[in-house]
Amino acid sequence: MPLLSSMLAALSRYRAALRNVHWEREIRLWSGLVLFAFVTMHLLNHAIGVLGVPTMEAVQHWRVFIWRSWPGTVALYGAAALHVGLTLKRIALRTPCRMPIEEGLQIVLGLAIPALVLEHALNTRYGSSILSTDDSYTAVLTRIYPNQIAWQTILVLVAWFHGIIGIHYVVRHKPWFERVREIGFALAFSIPLLAIAGFLAAGREAASTVHSEIALAPEQVTGLQQVVEISYQLLIAGGLLIVGALVATEVARSWRGTVPVRYVGHGETALRPGASLLDASRQNRIPHPSLCGGRGRCATCRVLVLSGLETLPEPTYSERMVLSRISAPKNVRLACQIRPKQPIAVQILLPTIARDAGLDWEEEAYKWGVDRNVSILFVDIRAFTSLSKKQLPHDTVLLINRFLGEIAQAVEAHGGRIGMFLSDGVMAIFGLGGQRGMGARNALAAGHAILRAARMLDDELGSALPLPFRVGIGIHCGSAVIARVGDDERGYVITALGETISIASRLEQATKELLADMLVSEAVVQAAGTKPPGSVLREVPMRGHDQPIRAYAYSEAFSEVRPAAQAETQPEAIP
């Protein structure tokens, strides 16, 4: 009985979760992915045209087998109907407002697709199925090349980039997006260009050969012309009907009056009933970030509801999941998901960062802060205060700049990034590129390189220094918030925030207490699969932790027994 009760309770929770899922959004996404898969396969088939028309037709056989089977046909046309219908509904529900350029471009491209693809679809699928026309590549290319080169090129670009923009909105806030951004960018532009090149090459090949046997019969030409004409008339009528419905919806909204919305720092504005809070912000030119384009997949548009929270409907399951990831309190909601019907007061929680700040793509990925599993390295010059007191300011600056240059080179050579320059040290971040083991191996290698650089500087400048030149290094790995901090006037830097950074800093400080050159946390050793040679496991007390941090203490005294190069190339494996 207890087992049955637990199973029934789990089933009840599952059914409740299904009821709360934002089904329209998910169906619109997955139907769009089905259509995008069809377009991708079509363009790849075009790209093979550079190898010749026979090769294109060999691949076409398998593509047609997939999409003209009963499952493929149902999936394709069902996805088209669902995607178009739900997208039109989404457009109808939103009020006319200002929106980001890429979002408006996606809508325009999507609305242009039916007009561009209609004749091509009828000449191929309808013609072959109903009028028994030949829709092989040889036949189709002979009929459309070269008269429809521009039309086909526009169709390829419009359909492809409509899908690319939508996918970008969905994945741009994902933790793994940074790892695939460059290859995704390359594919996004190379696939349509290769498809156009294949179409042109195959078109020239088909046009150079006379194919009298594939010419359309007069009754086939007449049948295609009639169905194309009727279809365009229906498309125009449908477009006018949709425009009329949108106008009627807007008129009905105007009759219902407006809902007052007060923004902290922006005064009071009016919102049309049925519009989202994000729409109101855009309509009134209030800066309001939205990384996913108002699809409820990120939390960048979140607001603090100061009054009127009780008048809002409960958040959907999807909204709750997004807010729970950031541990948001109950009075924080997503502006793209709430449609106030009563007066409300809100505060936008995240700032909008200007597009013209001169930032590169890599920094743009971190402008809102993202969770990453990384390795953090802290390095600090030992006894720097005593060292600087016994030197002239000029000599101190030269020493610091020389050492910081060596550190930066060691960090960047091992795939790391300087996250912060301290007065006499550096914080470095490893694993931003999604390397295995959170970049722990690279952090260890960089730590050894920094110790070598410090030893080299001591050998080179030791006679001119009042104290031996020594450094302490602390390395820890784990989850951290990687963010771009700063402002337009003074510039931005990428840095790391969170407990992982505090632990790495504490380990660096503990090198003085334990008389070690480098302290590497047990988590780093486990992630890297190796530990510094000759290191000893120690425990480091950490404020706010019930248990001490276990770390391996490494000292370069070990290198006197075994050469440094040998020690680094033959690390000891974890027992």
Side-chain angles (χ1 to χ4, degrees):
M1 290 299 292
L3 178 60
L4 180 60
S5 299
S6 61
M7 292 178 62
L8 291 175
L11 179 61
S12 177
R13 290 194 298 269
Y14 178 72
R15 293 176 61 185
L18 289 180
R19 286 195 299 268
N20 287 318
V21 170
H22 199 315
W23 284 109
E24 287 191 12
R25 186 188 70 184
E26 297 303 318
I27 292 173
R28 189 172 64 244
L29 168 64
W30 287 102
S31 61
L33 290 176
V34 171
L35 297 175
F36 188 75
F38 174 80
V39 172
T40 302
M41 293 178 66
H42 211 66
L43 297 194
L44 292 176
N45 202 164
H46 284 8
I48 295 176
V50 297
L51 303 178
V53 176
T55 308
M56 291 179 75
E57 293 186 340
V59 176
Q60 183 190 28
H61 171 76
W62 294 104
R63 179 172 59 82
V64 169
F65 175 77
I66 294 173
W67 293 108
R68 293 194 182 178
S69 64
W70 275 108
T73 299
V74 171
L76 178 61
Y77 290 102
L82 288 170
H83 192 71
V84 172
L86 293 176
T87 300
L88 290 176
K89 179 184 177 182
R90 182 170 182 260
I91 294 174
L93 287 177
R94 67 187 306 166
T95 57
C97 64
R98 300 171 180 87
M99 63 184 70
I101 295 176
E102 60 269 24
E103 189 173 344
L105 179 61
Q106 186 194 20
I107 293 175
V108 171
L109 294 178
L111 294 176
I113 290 175
L116 292 171
V117 78
L118 183 60
E119 184 174 357
H120 178 70
L122 292 173
N123 283 330
T124 53
R125 186 66 181 266
Y126 176 83
S128 64
S129 301
I130 306 301
L131 301 178
S132 301
T133 60
D134 185 356
D135 67 341
S136 65
Y137 266 110
T138 300
V140 174
L141 288 170
T142 301
R143 292 196 292 266
I144 69 175
Y145 187 89
N147 298 330
Q148 296 187 25
I149 290 178
W151 189 271
Q152 292 296 319
T153 300
I154 293 173
L155 173 58
V156 166
L157 296 177
V158 167
W160 176 257
F161 283 106
H162 170 76
I164 287 294
I165 294 173
I167 291 175
H168 181 250
Y169 266 122
V170 173
V171 305
R172 64 193 291 187
H173 62 283
K174 301 293 184 181
W176 45 263
F177 176 68
E178 175 62 21
R179 299 197 298 270
V180 302
R181 176 175 53 82
E182 293 183 359
I183 188 172
F185 185 83
L187 290 174
F189 284 90
S190 61
I191 289 179
L193 293 178
L194 289 173
I196 294 171
F199 168 71
L200 295 176
R204 286 194 297 268
E205 179 182 341
S208 64
T209 306
V210 178
H211 300 281
S212 58
E213 69 279 2
I214 61 176
L216 294 178
E219 60 273 14
Q220 291 176 327
V221 174
T222 302
L224 286 175
Q225 289 176 344
Q226 289 177 347
V227 74
V228 168
E229 183 178 352
I230 294 173
S231 298
Y232 271 115
Q233 291 174 353
L234 292 175
L235 182 63
I236 294 173
L240 293 175
L241 184 62
I242 292 171
V243 171
L246 293 176
V247 172
T249 301
E250 189 61 24
V251 171
R253 283 174 177 164
S254 64
W255 286 348
R256 287 186 287 172
T258 58
V259 177
V261 177
R262 182 171 62 84
Y263 289 86
V264 173
H266 300 285
E268 185 172 299
T269 62
L271 177 145
R272 294 282 180 84
S276 71
L277 187 63
L278 181 62
D279 289 338
S281 300
R282 291 173 171 177
Q283 182 65 31
N284 293 279
R285 296 183 180 274
I286 296 174
H288 203 149
S290 177
L291 195 60
C292 69
R295 290 163 172 80
R297 297 185 180 276
C298 68
T300 54
C301 70
R302 62 185 181 269
V303 295
L304 178 66
V305 181
L306 302 175
S307 66
L309 179 64
E310 66 282 356
T311 66
L312 296 175
E314 290 294 319
T316 63
Y317 176 78
S318 300
E319 184 182 0
R320 287 203 305 271
M321 290 298 98
V322 173
L323 293 174
S324 65
R325 290 205 304 265
I326 59 172
S327 302
K330 291 184 178 180
N331 58 343
V332 170
R333 298 291 300 271
L334 300 184
C336 65
Q337 299 299 303
I338 57 176
R339 301 178 184 275
K341 298 180 180 179
Q342 300 293 331
I344 189 175
V346 298
Q347 178 181 353
I348 299 174
L349 294 178
L350 295 181
T352 298
I353 299 177
R355 291 175 174 270
D356 56 353
L359 303 169
D360 60 27
W361 281 94
E362 184 177 3
E363 292 187 351
E364 190 73 6
Y366 301 121
K367 67 179 180 180
W368 304 117
V370 293
D371 287 325
R372 290 285 187 272
N373 290 322
V374 294
S375 295
I376 302 296
L377 180 150
F378 269 89
V379 57
D380 180 77
I381 299 176
R382 295 277 183 80
F384 178 72
T385 302
S386 300
L387 191 65
S388 60
K389 284 182 179 180
K390 298 179 180 180
Q391 281 196 305
L392 295 174
H394 174 73
D395 294 334
T396 301
V397 172
L398 286 178
L399 176 63
I400 286 293
N401 286 335
R402 174 72 184 280
F403 181 59
L404 293 182
E406 296 286 347
I407 293 177
Q409 185 173 359
V411 168
E412 293 170 359
H414 292 90
R417 178 167 186 156
I418 300 297
M420 186 185 303
F421 279 107
L422 309 172
S423 61
D424 57 347
V426 158
M427 181 194 78
I429 311 169
F430 296 84
L432 288 177
Q435 296 94 335
R436 293 182 60 185
M438 297 176 280
R441 279 182 174 268
N442 290 347
L444 279 174
H448 285 293
I450 292 171
L451 290 177
R452 287 201 307 272
R455 187 171 65 248
M456 178 196 68
L457 287 176
D458 186 59
D459 293 340
E460 181 180 334
L461 306 175
S463 59
L465 297 176
L467 298 171
F469 188 82
R470 294 288 184 269
V471 298
I473 298 174
I475 306 176
H476 184 57
C477 66
S479 177
V481 175
I482 309 300
R484 189 186 71 197
V485 297
D487 57 31
D488 292 342
E489 183 177 350
R490 282 161 286 274
Y492 295 90
V493 295
I494 300 297
T495 191
L497 310 169
E499 187 181 44
T500 299
I501 291 78
S502 300
I503 294 176
S505 177
R506 174 68 183 102
L507 292 177
E508 179 273 314
Q509 296 170 9
T511 58
K512 306 171 188 177
E513 306 163 10
L514 300 178
L515 301 179
D517 293 322
M518 183 164 62
L519 273 175
V520 181
S521 72
E522 192 174 37
V524 171
V525 171
Q526 291 175 350
T530 62
K531 66 177 181 179
S535 58
V536 179
L537 186 61
R538 307 293 294 270
E539 292 186 345
V540 180
M542 180 75 184
R543 182 179 300 176
H545 286 246
D546 296 332
Q547 300 295 328
I549 302 299
R550 293 163 59 88
Y552 287 84
Y554 168 78
S555 176
E556 283 222 317
F558 180 78
S559 64
E560 297 176 2
V561 180
R562 183 164 49 170
Q566 182 182 1
E568 290 156 9
T569 56
Q570 299 179 5
E572 297 181 12
I574 298 178

